[in-house]
Amino acid sequence: MEGGFHDLRPETPCFCSETVLRKAANYTEPTSPKQYETDTQRGSARHPAHAMLSDLLSRSQAVTRNLTDVILRIALPTPLHRLFDYRTLPQIDQPLLPGIRVLVPFGRRELVGILVETAEQSELPLNKLKPVHALLDRQPVLDPILFQLGLWAARYYQHPPGDALQQLLPTLLRQGQPADFVHATLWRAASGARDDRLSSSAHRQRELLQLLLEHPQGISADALRAEGAQTALLKTLAEKGLAESFLQHPHPLPADADAQPLREPALPLHGEQLAALTAIHAHSGFHCFLLYGVTGSGKTEIYLQAIEKVLHQGKQALVLVPEIGLTPQTLERFRRRFRVPVHALHSNLTDRARLDTWLLAREGQARIIIGTRSALFTPLRNPGLIIIDEEHDSSFKQQDGFRYHARDLAISRAKREGIPIILGSATPSLESLHNALQGRYQLLPLTQRAGNALPPRFELLDIRQQPLDSGLSAPLLQRMRQHIEAGTQVLLFLNRRGFSPSLICEQCGHVVDCTRCDAHMTLHRNPPHLHCHHCDRQTPIPRACAHCGSEELKPLGIGTERAEDTLQRHFPHTPVLRVDRDSTARKSALEKIMAQVNSGEPCILLGTQMLAKGHHFPKVTLVAILDADAGLFSADFRGMERTAQLILQVAGRAGRADHPGEVLLQTRHAEHPMLQTLIGAGYQDFALQELNLRRQAQLPPFAHQVLLRAEAPHQGRAEQFLQRLRQQLLAQHPLPPDLQLIGPFPAMMERRGGLFRALLQVSARQRAPLHAWLEQLVALLEQHPDARRVRWTLDVDPVDNY
């Protein structure tokens, strides 16, 4: 939920009461806090979506006889926590179904909203309500499950219902475009067209006509250009009666459940894999599995064979991955295994491509959908299975706007759909592991690597009092030479892109800072510039120090660009492949790098956390983490968990095939308990120790947290706003015994993007009193006189405290 800076209240439309939102989301108060906790984690069985919409539908159809008296309650994309009442138009002759889009006036604008329900009364007189401008759909664009999931999520995450429902739709549908496939303009040869009707010297026209004759079903101008044809000549051929254009409306073919879905046979499973797959196949309805398998244990093969059964049943599978970078390789492997349509959904697609894929999934033609966080809201005609790969990854949590967690909502959706869901990870989140230990999820362990691969050998490399060359110690360089000379590959992990994290004046010690953030500017060499990775501010590299005028400016610290230069100096005859956001910015850049690695030739991979997840490098035998201490002393209580996950995920790239692997961790804290536990006992022992510490401190997952963030252009204003809000809250709504307020206090990075930020933390052991109190908080925030001068954001179940 966000608000502030401006007020978007309409002039005339009336908002409906909180009661309507409760009815729309089919909300029922829990009989106990335990029931509320179970419902929010699994998706409550007390939310029968089809029954709710059937009731709304019957009431909508019942009042179509007198449409002029019908009041439409619309969810609009505004920061307001309410629905809006509008009159319908007398010329409308269709049923008013929940989930259709409506074009309505809102102040001086027109907005695309979603109909939630109809009513016969409003809090304003009928003649004071504005009429809708148009109904954009005859059938709902959101199916009953997704419609109800969106309303429930809006309530759980304390987000405006109109904006939450909009996030479930592709961009073109939010803009009011038809929920239909694009009408493509294609070209074909006219009936009876022959190239002998063209002059013998018209070579280009003859070539173009020949291409048209080879495509009697039609071909697009783009495809003709790809063949080298001059599409400007299409008009010439048309004027001669040799070519014609036409509009093609695609009609997806129905899925064939009897067709053989496999293109290549499944791989044999080892004992633990077979046990896990058998457990998954044993459940036909909702069931949540935590597939906890070490890196290289064959989790993806279990995904593939679980999907195979779903395809044989004529159903669809939805697979979520944490990053766009993992999508191409996942697509390639799935398409190599299956002969059914496999489609991708992520933010790099055009709006049109995203809508077409969304429609194909809704029609049941897209049998397997692989996508990032927002693909969770893809409609499925015949849902059969949901898979969350790398479920621990924090990128599944939306960090702005509608701050939902895709993993948690996926579990809720699976519950409503009545289908199983698999959460897979080599380093499960402590929340998921806790749920498995409590029996809410079924734990499926995979402790052995697949095939003949052995787990890598770990070694702590103490670099205290050792000279470093751009972060590289002499023992590490020596070990790298041994592996490269043996014909294998090396992977180095450094989670800092750029040439160096700061630029310092050697005369006065001044460090070049971002003028909008409490952070140093990062030095980049290709192209040369300074870049703030927090607010994206970019400036030229200064010639002299702004503080003392000295020209002795030197890079301080090591980034991937600087390490790349050093590696090329030490290994001039070995390719050094840098993988970070900068080196992979161009289209297909990552795919080209991966192809070079997969060729098996010796090389050095150097990269950030883009290399940490999901990649399979059979020839990588040495993995080195250049700075294993980076997250050991984080102020965030999740810092230790994330550091452990990152270390083990990176380490998992070593020795995944027949070549044994080893992992070197450069550290100045070799005796640190977390490092010793990870290397000596593994992730599970570390996780159990960390869970015990969190239980003692009453931190998640043993308590539930909400962060109220405020930011303002002037220092202190956000903190003052939260302080006054806290005082007013405690005066009007005394805290329940279970709740605790901490703060307000400045954010760890107080200034970011030119705004000063402050936090107020709310925590409770039970969700029910927490959410009841949050509703009072949101109501007060929307009416607070200072809320227009301060931007505020409510983050339920935050994944960081920044």
Side-chain angles (χ1 to χ4, degrees):
M1 169 66 188
E2 294 186 356
F5 281 160
H6 55 275
D7 189 6
L8 294 179
R9 289 181 177 80
E11 297 174 1
T12 307
C14 170
F15 63 86
C16 71
S17 65
E18 180 72 12
T19 305
V20 173
L21 289 182
R22 289 175 180 268
K23 291 166 60 181
N26 199 25
Y27 179 87
T28 53
E29 289 293 343
T31 54
S32 68
K34 182 64 177 177
Q35 175 206 322
Y36 193 105
E37 180 180 0
T38 303
D39 290 351
T40 53
Q41 287 168 343
R42 291 187 170 184
S44 173
R46 298 169 64 100
H47 290 66
H50 290 283
M52 181 272 290
L53 286 185
S54 296
D55 177 62
L56 293 178
L57 173 60
S58 62
R59 285 193 287 156
S60 298
Q61 292 175 327
V63 296
T64 54
R65 294 189 301 271
N66 188 13
L67 287 174
T68 56
D69 296 332
V70 173
I71 296 167
L72 306 183
R73 286 187 171 147
I74 310 296
L76 294 176
T78 75
L80 302 177
H81 242 70
R82 60 199 66 175
L83 305 178
F84 297 88
D85 290 355
Y86 286 85
R87 287 187 291 114
T88 188
L89 297 173
Q91 63 268 30
I92 293 177
D93 61 350
Q94 68 178 74
L96 300 171
L97 306 178
I100 64 171
R101 294 171 301 148
V102 183
L103 187 65
V104 301
F106 191 80
R108 298 179 180 179
R109 300 176 292 159
E110 279 190 331
L111 294 181
V112 175
I114 296 177
L115 174 62
V116 173
E117 70 168 2
T118 59
E120 298 180 2
Q121 293 183 342
S122 174
E123 296 179 9
L124 286 179
L126 192 61
N127 60 0
K128 294 290 186 181
L129 299 180
K130 288 184 178 180
V132 300
H133 284 179
L135 302 184
L136 301 180
D137 309 296
R138 297 195 68 86
Q139 296 296 325
V141 291
L142 292 173
D143 66 54
I145 295 292
L146 286 178
F147 182 71
Q148 188 219 15
L149 179 68
L151 290 171
W152 181 87
R155 184 172 182 83
Y156 179 80
Y157 290 105
Q158 300 295 325
H159 195 74
D163 189 65
L165 289 176
Q166 291 277 332
Q167 300 305 311
L168 274 61
L169 298 176
T171 300
L172 292 181
L173 295 189
R174 299 179 210 169
Q175 296 171 353
Q177 297 293 316
D180 206 350
F181 293 96
V182 67
H183 292 68
T185 300
L186 301 183
W187 288 84
R188 62 190 172 197
S191 177
R194 300 190 311 273
D195 59 3
D196 59 7
R197 294 174 57 184
L198 292 170
S199 168
S200 59
S201 61
H203 301 295
R204 294 294 186 183
Q205 294 183 40
R206 283 175 172 268
E207 291 173 0
L208 180 58
L209 180 57
Q210 186 59 40
L211 279 173
L212 295 179
L213 290 169
E214 292 173 1
H215 296 84
Q217 301 302 319
I219 183 171
S220 69
D222 289 339
L224 288 169
R225 277 190 289 270
E227 295 286 343
Q230 293 186 2
T231 55
L233 296 176
L234 286 169
K235 185 178 180 180
T236 303
L237 292 182
E239 291 172 348
K240 295 179 179 180
L242 299 176
E244 61 185 11
S245 64
F246 65 97
L247 289 178
Q248 182 199 48
H249 178 73
H251 295 282
L253 299 175
D256 186 358
D258 297 327
Q260 172 55 252
L262 293 183
R263 178 172 279 115
E264 64 179 20
L267 300 178
L269 303 179
H270 62 68
E272 290 179 325
Q273 283 179 306
L274 186 60
L277 185 64
T278 302
I280 294 169
H281 284 169
H283 293 273
S284 57
F286 169 72
H287 202 76
C288 186
F289 301 95
L290 178 60
L291 186 61
Y292 176 14
V294 299
T295 54
S297 59
K299 295 185 290 296
T300 304
E301 183 61 31
I302 293 177
Y303 299 158
L304 293 169
Q305 296 196 28
I307 290 173
E308 180 186 348
K309 179 182 178 182
V310 167
L311 296 176
H312 278 298
Q313 298 170 344
K315 296 180 180 180
Q316 297 164 278
L318 175 63
V319 182
L320 298 188
V321 295
E323 291 185 1
I324 295 173
L326 294 177
T327 307
Q329 67 172 28
T330 308
L331 274 173
E332 193 274 333
R333 183 165 183 183
F334 275 61
R335 286 171 175 166
R336 193 169 64 241
R337 173 67 61 88
F338 298 113
R339 65 175 71 252
V340 302
V342 181
H343 291 267
L345 267 175
H346 52 75
S347 59
N348 278 0
L349 298 176
T350 65
D351 290 342
R352 184 69 248 177
R354 286 176 66 86
L355 177 56
D356 286 347
T357 302
W358 191 90
L359 292 169
L360 287 170
R362 188 179 71 169
E363 297 296 325
Q365 176 69 5
R367 302 293 302 281
I368 301 173
I369 299 93
I370 299 173
T372 48
R373 181 177 57 233
S374 61
L376 163 69
F377 303 121
T378 306
L380 302 175
R381 186 181 185 90
N382 301 297
L385 176 66
I386 297 176
I387 295 172
I388 312 294
D389 192 29
E390 309 292 355
E391 66 84 27
H392 66 277
D393 200 285
S394 60
S395 61
F396 282 122
K397 172 78 179 204
Q398 176 76 19
Q399 295 288 15
D400 54 20
F402 182 24
R403 294 172 178 257
Y404 65 91
H405 200 301
R407 178 199 61 208
D408 298 343
L409 280 189
I411 296 171
S412 184
R413 179 178 181 180
K415 175 71 175 182
R416 289 169 165 81
E417 301 276 14
I419 60 175
I421 180 170
I422 304 172
L423 312 179
S425 177
T427 54
S429 66
L430 296 190
E431 287 82 2
S432 294
L433 192 58
H434 176 67
N435 280 330
L437 295 175
Q438 295 296 309
R440 299 188 185 100
Y441 307 162
Q442 183 172 347
L443 184 63
L444 304 176
L446 301 176
T447 60
Q448 303 296 322
R449 285 191 158 185
N452 298 321
L454 297 174
R457 181 177 62 85
F458 283 81
E459 180 180 338
L460 292 176
L461 192 57
D462 194 337
I463 58 174
R464 285 175 288 194
Q465 300 180 354
Q466 283 202 34
L468 300 179
D469 188 359
S470 296
L472 302 167
S473 64
L476 172 58
L477 291 169
Q478 178 60 31
R479 200 75 62 88
M480 292 174 62
R481 289 190 184 92
Q482 294 173 2
H483 283 261
I484 291 172
E485 289 171 359
T488 59
Q489 299 170 341
V490 174
L491 186 153
L492 302 183
F493 176 76
L494 178 62
N495 208 22
R496 285 193 298 269
R497 61 190 178 103
F499 187 83
S500 71
S502 56
L503 187 66
I504 188 171
C505 173
E506 293 212 326
Q507 285 294 322
C508 68
H510 176 72
V511 179
V512 181
D513 290 330
C514 177
T515 58
R516 294 169 52 81
C517 304
D518 292 335
H520 302 317
M521 297 289 283
T522 299
L523 174 64
H524 287 254
R525 281 283 185 88
N526 187 24
H529 69 288
L530 294 178
H531 193 164
C532 176
H533 292 166
H534 300 282
C535 71
D536 206 33
R537 179 174 176 263
Q538 300 182 41
T539 65
I541 300 174
R543 293 181 178 273
C545 175
H547 189 69
C548 71
S550 170
E551 295 185 359
E552 296 186 36
L553 298 177
K554 301 294 183 183
L556 180 65
I558 303 100
T560 51
E561 291 180 7
R562 190 173 194 175
E564 180 185 26
D565 289 351
T566 304
L567 288 168
Q568 289 172 342
R569 175 162 45 86
H570 283 282
F571 302 93
H573 304 297
T574 303
V576 178
L577 308 176
R578 177 165 58 90
V579 181
D580 56 27
R581 192 181 303 175
D582 302 314
S583 66
T584 60
R586 292 184 178 180
K587 186 177 181 180
S588 302
L590 181 61
E591 287 83 348
K592 292 178 180 177
I593 294 174
M594 293 299 109
Q596 187 171 351
V597 176
N598 291 330
S599 70
E601 294 298 317
C603 67
I604 299 172
L605 266 170
L606 167 69
T608 60
Q609 60 184 354
M610 291 180 66
L611 288 176
K613 310 159 192 170
H615 297 287
H616 179 66
F617 304 132
K619 293 296 289 291
V620 169
T621 54
L622 173 65
V623 167
I625 298 175
L626 300 188
D627 185 8
D629 305 333
L632 294 182
F633 305 101
S634 171
D636 189 344
F637 72 88
R638 289 186 176 86
M640 202 71 74
E641 175 189 2
R642 289 194 181 129
T643 300
Q645 290 169 341
L646 192 56
I647 288 175
L648 290 183
Q649 289 286 340
V650 175
R653 304 313 109 198
R656 293 173 66 94
D658 297 332
H659 304 278
E662 59 178 330
V663 180
L664 296 182
L665 283 75
Q666 290 193 152
T667 176
R668 292 179 173 85
H669 302 277
E671 70 286 346
H672 195 284
M674 190 271 281
L675 293 178
Q676 292 291 335
T677 301
L678 277 183
I679 292 176
Y683 182 77
Q684 182 166 333
D685 278 39
F686 159 78
L688 292 176
Q689 292 179 17
E690 191 72 7
L691 280 172
N692 187 48
L693 292 175
R694 294 205 191 168
R695 180 186 292 107
Q696 296 173 21
Q698 284 300 294
L699 292 170
F702 302 99
H704 311 291
Q705 285 189 352
V706 176
L707 279 181
L708 176 59
R709 294 182 172 94
E711 49 189 27
H714 302 289
Q715 189 171 18
R717 180 174 292 176
E719 201 168 350
Q720 292 170 5
F721 165 73
L722 293 179
Q723 184 62 45
R724 287 194 294 268
L725 180 70
R726 173 182 175 137
Q727 294 170 355
Q728 188 174 350
L729 273 168
L730 295 179
Q732 296 181 7
H733 307 287
L735 276 182
D738 186 49
L739 260 68
Q740 182 181 14
L741 280 181
I742 302 176
F745 49 88
M748 294 181 190
M749 181 184 292
E750 183 178 11
R751 185 180 53 162
R752 183 174 181 177
L755 297 174
F756 293 88
R757 306 179 304 148
L759 307 175
L760 180 64
Q761 180 179 298
V762 190
S763 62
R765 288 190 298 273
Q766 302 294 338
R767 291 190 187 273
L770 174 62
H771 279 259
W773 192 81
L774 287 179
E775 291 176 2
Q776 298 170 343
L777 171 61
V778 170
L780 183 58
L781 280 166
E782 288 192 340
Q783 302 299 325
H784 200 284
D786 294 336
R788 299 184 185 184
R789 296 192 296 271
V790 173
R791 179 185 297 165
W792 57 269
T793 302
L794 202 60
D795 191 356
V796 178
D797 299 334
V799 295
D800 65 57
N801 293 326
Y802 290 91

